[in-house]
Amino acid sequence: APLMLLLHGFPQNWFCWRHLLEEFGTRYRVVALDLRGYGASEKPPEKESYRLELLLEDIRQVIEILGTPPGQEGVTATTGATSAASSPKCILVGHNWGGLLAWEVATRHPAMVEKLVIMDAPHRAIMGEFTACHPSQLLRSCYVFLFQVPWLPEFLLSLADFELVRSFLMGPVMGIQNPARKLTEQEMDAYLYSLSQPGGLSPPIHYYRNLF
């Protein structure tokens, strides 16, 4: 089956795709990653480990390994060139930070992306100009500038048992509005467990610290 690769946003992990894994699992080989620094993925502590180039290389390698159909690896017997049919590719789906990364992967490696689905993530090329022309968007994005400050964002997000994170994912403004779909406490714990580990908050915030 074709590979469908799902890239989550901040502050979630692969668990946010649980419903889509079930929905599309009968038609696609669906893979939901924990991006570098999230969930069960490796969490190098240095800010430099979350540069855009490294994050994109993680995704490119996953597509290369998982996106080549079985039995079509390698080179053609007649020409010695890589067969077009065996080129690794996927349906790439990204939300929030995962969407920003998906834009970049599709731009830099278009042959690897058969279809691109983006949710809640503008292309970097237009975001700066749009924000400069729309003060309301600048206000909504002010947290990005807060995240540039050392240690303070980690402190604020962890206060009162991660009350800000809970508000972001479960609150009346930014949380799911459909009462039947609201996160349960057990589902919320699936996001907070990794973030609450020692050093668990810094890697996701380092994404923003390398944004500029």
Side-chain angles (χ1 to χ4, degrees), residues 31-101:
V31 176
L33 289 184
D34 275 337
L35 295 174
R36 177 186 292 225
Y38 285 87
S41 287
E42 292 184 5
K43 300 174 181 61
E46 305 84 7
K47 183 184 80 170
E48 293 73 20
S49 297
Y50 301 90
R51 300 194 315 273
L52 182 63
E53 291 74 17
L54 297 178
L55 302 175
L56 296 177
E57 179 60 15
D58 289 344
I59 299 168
R60 188 199 67 78
Q61 289 186 22
V62 169
I63 298 173
E64 185 173 294
I65 293 170
L66 299 181
T68 302
Q72 296 186 18
E73 300 90 346
V75 299
T76 61
T78 54
T79 66
T82 301
S83 168
S86 67
S87 298
K89 61 180 58 179
C90 71
I91 298 168
L92 190 57
V93 182
H95 167 254
N96 189 257
W97 253 104
L100 187 150
L101 296 174

Side-chain angles (χ1 to χ4, degrees), residues 50-173:
Y50 301 90
R51 300 194 315 273
L52 182 63
E53 291 74 17
L54 297 178
L55 302 175
L56 296 177
E57 179 60 15
D58 289 344
I59 299 168
R60 188 199 67 78
Q61 289 186 22
V62 169
I63 298 173
E64 185 173 294
I65 293 170
L66 299 181
T68 302
Q72 296 186 18
E73 300 90 346
V75 299
T76 61
T78 54
T79 66
T82 301
S83 168
S86 67
S87 298
K89 61 180 58 179
C90 71
I91 298 168
L92 190 57
V93 182
H95 167 254
N96 189 257
W97 253 104
L100 187 150
L101 296 174
W103 276 122
E104 294 289 335
V105 170
T107 300
R108 301 184 188 203
H109 308 287
M112 285 187 155
V113 181
E114 184 176 0
K115 294 180 181 179
L116 181 66
V117 182
I118 304 292
M119 293 173 277
D120 190 28
H123 195 287
R124 280 203 313 155
I126 67 168
M127 185 58 182
E129 181 179 350
F130 181 87
T131 301
C133 297
H134 296 80
S136 62
Q137 181 59 53
L138 182 63
L139 181 62
R140 292 188 184 101
S141 302
C142 63
Y143 68 93
V144 174
F145 302 101
L146 172 65
F147 282 0
Q148 306 306 311
V149 179
W151 70 262
L152 181 60
E154 287 90 333
F155 174 73
L156 294 175
L157 289 176
S158 64
L159 278 177
D161 192 23
F162 294 86
E163 182 59 32
L164 279 178
V165 180
R166 292 176 181 274
S167 177
F168 176 70
L169 294 176
M170 302 179 68
V173 177

